[in-house]
Amino acid sequence: MPEPTEDLYSTDAYLRTFEAVVADVDPDGHRVALSRTAFYPGGGGQPADRGLVVWDGGTAQVAKVGKDKGVIWHQLEEGDPLPDPGTELEGTLDWDRRHLLMRTHTALHILCGVIWADFGVAVTGGNMEPGTGRLDFELDAMSAELGERAEKRMNDEIAAAREILVEFVGREAADADPALIRTKANLIPAFIDPLRVIDIRGLDKQADGGTHVATTAEVGRVEVTKTESKGKANKRIRLAVHDA
């Protein structure tokens, strides 16, 4: 097993290209592990990135990315060549897709912050694709009116152009602040220390490993497309992200 991959996306979500060395090759899985990467491997409801890797004598599409025991594996398209271990290469993200995911993920955090501020309830589930997403909340009731209210509140927060910061907080301090972990069940393993925290200044601050835009204004405009009841105390809000 190669050394854990340096994850460049954790500190710079806007990095579109990077240089790395092939740390390991898995021919059976048609995948490579790199010394460092800007490709997000997926997690927390955010899909993995896609893109391209280029080296002297070869080019391959990155079809899937995943993380296993700290190692980030990049699965290449079937039929594309595999580089040898030790090869120096350049990776390039599918930036349009990544940036839309960043906007979508931030929109979901804005929704989480609005619901937390108004009702103080936890998130029970969530998922996203580029431009669309949903969150489930421990609410007693759901209505179209609540959805309309949430949409207005989110767009007000977007218009406020709140700064979004990445911080790293020691696990002991994070565990002492229940507001930092907004999921109903804390699924973050105890060995992860420090925790990466996304802070939408003045609105929402919580542990999160995904990628986000730098200000709420960059999200654009949010539309609540549907509200649903998925059972007792489990209510769903679906949203779409549009250009401003």
Side-chain angles (χ1 to χ4, degrees):
M1 179 72 73
E3 291 293 316
T5 310
E6 180 185 357
D7 55 356
L8 304 173
Y9 55 82
S10 285
T11 53
D12 186 0
Y14 288 84
L15 191 63
R16 306 185 191 195
T17 64
F18 65 95
E19 295 180 348
V21 175
V22 177
D24 199 6
V25 177
D26 172 18
D28 292 337
H30 205 69
R31 60 182 188 165
V32 296
L34 306 179
S35 59
R36 58 206 299 261
T37 187
F39 285 89
Y40 182 66
Q46 180 177 337
D49 287 324
R50 299 173 187 167
L52 186 74
V53 288
V54 178
W55 63 97
D56 187 17
T59 299
Q61 295 285 336
V62 177
K64 294 181 181 178
V65 188
K67 193 171 187 177
D68 181 17
K69 297 178 181 177
V71 179
I72 298 175
W73 290 95
H74 305 69
Q75 184 175 331
L76 308 184
E77 285 283 2
E78 288 295 333
D80 285 354
L82 280 173
D84 295 323
T87 299
E88 297 180 356
L89 53 70
E90 181 179 76
T92 301
L93 301 184
D94 178 343
W95 178 248
D96 288 344
R97 181 178 182 276
R98 154 67 89 80
H99 188 245
L100 185 51
L101 281 167
M102 288 164 60
R103 292 167 58 201
T104 306
H105 199 163
T106 298
L108 291 172
H109 275 236
I110 295 170
L111 173 59
C112 186
V114 164
I115 297 297
W116 181 270
D118 291 356
F119 300 98
V121 297
V123 174
T124 56
N127 201 12
M128 76 190 83
E129 294 295 334
T132 63
R134 55 93 173 167
L135 287 179
D136 299 343
F137 296 97
E138 196 177 30
L139 290 165
D140 291 330
M142 176 56 70
S143 65
E145 289 76 19
L146 191 151
E148 292 169 1
R149 171 183 170 186
E151 178 179 299
K152 183 181 185 306
R153 293 270 280 113
M154 284 188 287
N155 284 308
D156 286 346
E157 297 294 348
I158 289 170
R162 294 185 182 274
E163 185 181 14
I164 301 170
L165 302 177
V166 177
E167 301 174 358
F168 291 87
V169 178
R171 188 59 188 255
E172 185 175 349
D175 286 344
D177 184 354
L180 285 183
I181 301 175
R182 297 290 181 81
T183 51
K184 179 63 175 175
N186 180 5
L187 302 178
I188 303 174
F191 65 82
I192 297 181
D193 187 4
L195 285 185
R196 182 173 180 268
V197 172
I198 302 299
D199 184 3
I200 304 178
R201 301 302 295 271
L203 175 67
D204 184 70
K205 185 176 182 179
Q206 59 175 295
D208 182 83
T211 59
H212 293 267
V213 292
T215 75
T216 58
E218 199 172 332
V219 170
R221 180 175 61 85
V222 171
E223 174 191 5
V224 170
T225 57
K226 192 174 184 180
T227 56
E228 303 171 81
S229 177
K230 306 303 290 185
K232 184 179 179 181
N234 189 21
K235 305 300 185 278
R236 178 169 296 176
I237 299 177
R238 295 185 181 273
L239 60 78
V241 171
H242 304 289
D243 292 339

